[in-house]
Amino acid sequence: MCGIVGAVAQRDVADILVEGLKRLEYRGYDSAGVAVINKKNELLSTKRLGKVQELDQALTEAPLAGGTGIAHTRWATHGAPSEVNAHPHISSNTIAVVHNGIIENHQALRSQLQGLGYEFLSQTDTEVITHLVHHELKTSDSLLSAVQKTVKQLEGAYGTVVMDSRDQDNLIVARSGSPLVIGYGLGENFIASDIMALLPVTRKFSYLEEGDVAQISRFDVNIFDIDGKPVIREAKEVSVSHDSGDKGEYRHYMLKETYEQPTAIRNSLEGRLVAGKLDINTFGDGADEIFKNVEHVQIIACGTSYHSGMVARYWLEELAGVSCNIEIASEFRYRKSFVPKNSLLVTISQSGETADTLAALRLAKEIGYQSSLVICNVPGSSLVRESDLAFMTKAGAEIGVASTKAFTTQLVGLLMMTMAIGKHHGMSADKQAEITQSLMSLPAKLDEVLALASSIEDLAEDFADKNHALFLGRGDQYPIAMEGALKLKEISYIHAEAYAAGELKHGPLALIDAEMPVIVVAPKNDLIEKLKSNVEEVRARGGLMYVFADSDANFSSDDTCKVINVPVCDGIIAPIVYTLPLQLLSYYVAIIKGTDVDQPRNLAKSVTVE
Ligand code: F6R
């Protein structure tokens, strides 16, 4: 949450910073700002309420010249979205700061600094860092040491970049709880919250570790650990394509990413199912040894990633014969939980930086989980670095705030994990071959589903004037119903709930009337007759239904029920196949409603605050 970019260069950097912010806008988009130091050692700053585009426009009209600068796109925590609360925050016309995270002791620090005569202009927690650095600088021999003293006084989470107008040569950056990556150029260096921001200027990166403080100049990067000792954080070249941040021919990132799913899944499978056999090393060194001892799996995740974990529970218990629990990270991290013997802790996260999931992993290590695995889309992210094993989904950069291809590739990873663990719990070679076959058929099957787009677009018209919707599923389609409801609410702002269809009669049936469309995910499977009874319960109460089903499920359209024919597929991969029509439905409803599909209100991607 919140995007940070900084640069120390000989050339003017405002354009680089703004381009970086555009690439980070998924992290927050309620206001944006930039500050540079010009040749006369003056601090120049421009901030705008709203998206980075507003800032870009302002800078086109009144450019800022300077080779050292910092920039920020905000997702408000403390203080409403406004120009005055936008970063960078400035103290005494000299110290400028951008920050991602939450300073929990900001009230106490604010009072202390007010007592020292500092005047606060914003309602943000960040402004305390600005004045604190200014104050510490009075008794420090360098900006680096002032920042080191400052961060020792901060409680909470921060990724922060500090500059002093009297020193054009350096940026000081600090990380604790919010990611920062250093980008290495030729005679210029950069900092950002995510490599995406810096791909137009470099491919060489190193990640700061928790507690690191670094001094970045044009030719040098000096990093110090939490104890102030110099450390090396190895720089690596990345092979991510420069253009992965482009929308191409698509109107929205979400649509592009929905259509990328067959390719993303092909990439996630490639090289991992060799000659029909799963390559266990794909999970990391020593994976087979760890899987051999697993007697229980505990899955932890948030949001959409939590839904993929819910599907995995069905797979692990049914296909691998291993017990599995799943819990939302923000709950798990704050309760005392029992650790079953030989448990594997599995986190799932597109970004690898979600604060609650990361805290849950750290807690799990403390309370005795012996090994951990992350299913993640971002190499080098905190969850990847801190887990014993990692399955990297190869979805490519996901920019739309509503997760699509990250979700389906997570499911692919979780199904492979089921095979890897199942192998040690008596899963037969035939079953392994069947799952492999199923996975290999997936990309082509998804291409068939995407061909339904225009009929789903027509269907979306029925939802545009509705305020509520109910999603129903049973078994491993229940989490898919939940994911469908989440997609609809987050991008179209229609209130949507999901229920396991068998639960209807225990309360939600009271909601059914013609104003409450009911979406049913209904592939032919062992539960189809049960689901049909639930559909009849809705019909009998005058509900209007939209049933996504294959021809084998035998539903037919009538006055109260529209059936959308989904291609017949193997039952194992049905949760993945049925996800796509629901993604398309919410997309087209959002288009009709005119909402901001890629950057829905109040949200941001990569939730690095708890
Ligand atoms: C919804 C969505 C979120 C994320 C959640 C966890 O479309 O994307 O619910 O799934 O914020 O994020 P990650 O997967 O990055 O941990």
Side-chain angles (χ1 to χ4, degrees):
M1 296 195 135
C2 298
I4 287 176
V5 197
V8 198
Q10 196 169 29
R11 52 178 163 161
D12 288 340
V13 292
D15 285 351
I16 296 172
L17 298 178
V18 171
E19 174 60 25
L21 289 188
K22 286 182 183 163
R23 290 165 167 263
L24 290 183
E25 205 168 22
Y26 65 89
R27 299 176 72 96
Y29 33 82
D30 61 49
S31 56
V34 62
V36 298
I37 306 172
N38 72 7
K39 291 214 163 83
K40 294 193 238 159
N41 284 83
E42 292 161 330
L43 203 52
L44 308 175
S45 172
T46 302
K47 307 199 242 184
R48 284 294 179 272
L49 179 63
K51 300 207 170 172
V52 176
Q53 185 52 40
E54 304 293 328
L55 177 69
D56 197 11
Q57 183 64 35
L59 291 172
T60 307
E61 286 158 20
L64 299 182
T68 298
I70 56 180
H72 187 269
T73 178
R74 180 169 185 250
W75 184 83
T77 57
H78 295 64
S82 69
E83 213 160 284
V84 82
N85 286 333
H87 302 208
H89 291 285
I90 292 170
S91 182
S92 312
N93 264 331
T94 49
I95 303 298
V97 170
V98 289
H99 162 232
N100 173 22
I102 291 179
I103 305 305
E104 287 168 359
N105 60 338
H106 72 103
Q107 281 296 5
L109 290 170
R110 182 180 273 251
S111 308
Q112 189 184 313
L113 288 159
Q114 279 166 334
L116 292 167
Y118 286 98
E119 191 192 340
F120 280 76
L121 302 176
S122 77
Q123 290 83 52
T124 64
D125 51 339
T126 303
E127 201 177 350
V128 299
I129 306 179
T130 321
H131 296 312
L132 204 48
V133 172
H134 183 268
H135 174 64
E136 290 298 346
L137 201 47
K138 291 175 190 161
T139 53
S140 306
D141 56 4
S142 67
L143 185 60
L144 171 67
S145 124
V147 172
Q148 281 170 322
K149 287 183 199 165
T150 297
V151 295
K152 286 208 165 70
Q153 298 168 63
L154 304 178
E155 288 166 20
Y158 53 82
T160 188
V161 188
V162 182
M163 66 181 191
D164 181 343
S165 63
R166 294 156 294 187
D167 177 4
Q168 288 185 32
D169 298 332
N170 294 298
L171 290 178
I172 307 297
V173 307
R175 174 200 168 144
S176 181
S178 300
L180 282 176
V181 60
I182 297 171
Y184 298 82
L186 288 174
E188 53 188 18
N189 286 316
F190 308 92
I191 184 82
S193 354
D194 184 327
I195 62 167
M196 284 293 293
L198 302 177
L199 289 178
V201 285
T202 182
R203 302 289 171 78
K204 194 172 171 192
F205 298 101
S206 69
Y207 290 89
L208 290 185
E209 301 276 335
E210 289 296 279
D212 283 355
V213 177
Q215 175 161 27
I216 301 179
S217 64
R218 277 182 56 205
F219 296 101
D220 277 320
V221 172
N222 295 302
I223 306 175
F224 304 87
D225 69 9
I226 197 162
D227 302 317
K229 291 201 194 86
V231 279
I232 307 273
R233 304 291 179 217
E234 196 191 341
K236 288 190 183 147
E237 298 271 345
V238 300
S239 57
V240 185
S241 128
H242 173 288
D243 289 331
S244 49
D246 292 344
K247 273 201 289 261
E249 72 204 62
Y250 293 93
R251 188 165 159 197
H252 292 99
Y253 283 110
M254 183 185 171
L255 191 62
K256 173 177 179 258
E257 290 159 5
T258 298
Y259 273 84
E260 278 172 352
Q261 288 175 107
T263 306
I265 287 175
R266 226 172 257 120
N267 291 342
S268 291
L269 292 173
E270 202 183 313
R272 286 164 163 170
L273 293 173
V274 185
K277 283 189 112 187
L278 176 65
D279 176 9
I280 304 281
N281 292 328
T282 201
F283 294 92
D285 291 346
D288 207 31
E289 202 48 39
I290 288 178
F291 290 147
K292 197 155 77 186
N293 296 319
V294 170
E295 287 176 37
H296 176 77
V297 176
Q298 172 69 54
I299 302 180
I300 302 288
C302 304
T304 286
S305 299
Y306 173 75
H307 296 152
S308 70
M310 283 184 72
V311 176
R313 186 168 68 135
Y314 288 89
W315 286 335
L316 277 163
E317 299 209 339
E318 185 178 330
L319 302 173
V322 172
S323 67
C324 174
N325 278 342
I326 161 132
E327 191 163 357
I328 292 166
S330 55
E331 288 297 314
F332 177 83
R333 68 177 288 194
Y334 286 118
R335 75 179 183 90
K336 282 209 160 56
S337 57
F338 176 76
V339 187
K341 201 167 128 250
N342 294 331
S343 290
L344 174 69
L345 193 281
V346 175
T347 56
I348 310 170
S349 174
Q350 186 283 131
S351 62
E353 300 293 352
T354 299
D356 284 320
T357 313
L358 191 54
L361 169 65
R362 290 175 183 162
L363 172 72
K365 288 184 189 176
E366 269 170 44
I367 63 177
Y369 280 88
Q370 277 170 10
S371 41
S372 57
L373 160 71
V374 63
I375 309 281
C376 189
N377 195 38
V378 180
S381 58
S382 302
L383 279 165
V384 171
R385 282 181 288 129
E386 295 189 26
S387 301
D388 301 322
L389 303 175
F391 178 94
M392 299 312 305
T393 52
K394 298 200 176 150
E398 191 182 66
I399 311 286
V401 164
S403 192
T404 50
K405 60 180 180 170
F407 176 68
T408 46
T409 52
Q410 282 168 356
L411 287 171
V412 166
L414 288 162
L415 195 44
M416 289 200 221
M417 179 190 82
T418 305
M419 291 169 74
I421 296 174
K423 194 185 96 176
H424 298 291
H425 287 261
M427 187 189 277
S428 66
D430 282 356
K431 188 47 103 184
Q432 297 254 345
E434 186 193 331
I435 300 174
T436 304
Q437 199 51 43
S438 234
L439 279 168
M440 299 306 275
S441 70
L442 197 46
K445 197 51 77 182
L446 296 188
D447 279 328
E448 287 178 49
V449 179
L450 289 169
L452 300 174
S454 66
S455 51
I456 295 175
E457 189 173 2
D458 294 345
L459 194 73
E461 299 281 351
D462 290 14
F463 290 81
D465 63 343
K466 295 290 186 290
N467 295 316
H468 309 276
L470 202 58
F471 286 70
L472 300 179
R474 290 192 83 128
D476 59 13
Q477 292 292 338
Y478 168 45
I480 301 310
M482 292 176 76
E483 175 57 10
L486 177 62
K487 287 286 95 89
L488 189 69
K489 70 183 117 182
E490 79 180 309
I491 62 167
S492 76
Y493 314 151
I494 291 176
H495 168 231
E497 296 293 338
Y499 273 91
E503 268 294 291
L504 262 191
K505 52 190 170 296
H506 299 293
L509 211 47
L511 294 171
I512 300 298
D513 63 16
E515 291 309 304
M516 171 72 85
V518 178
I519 297 112
V520 189
V521 266
K524 167 92 166 70
N525 58 22
D526 291 351
L527 292 166
I528 193 69
E529 293 311 323
K530 303 279 174 211
L531 184 64
K532 280 185 173 170
S533 305
N534 304 135
V535 164
E536 289 313 314
E537 291 162 9
V538 174
R539 193 195 303 277
R541 283 146 185 97
L544 293 179
M545 280 167 299
Y546 298 85
V547 180
F548 291 85
D550 55 33
S551 52
D552 294 348
N554 251 329
F555 280 93
S556 42
S557 294
D558 57 31
D559 288 352
T560 57
C561 177
K562 283 192 186 171
V563 178
I564 304 90
N565 270 311
V566 178
V568 175
C569 67
D570 192 275
I572 295 170
I573 54 165
I576 307 174
V577 172
Y578 277 74
T579 298
L580 270 66
L582 303 188
Q583 292 170 345
L584 287 168
L585 179 66
S586 52
Y587 175 77
Y588 288 118
V589 175
I591 292 293
I592 297 168
K593 295 203 75 177
T595 56
D596 190 337
V597 172
D598 283 332
Q599 295 175 342
R601 69 184 179 201
N602 305 338
L603 298 179
K605 214 171 178 71
S606 194
V607 185
T608 53
V609 295
E610 67 167 293

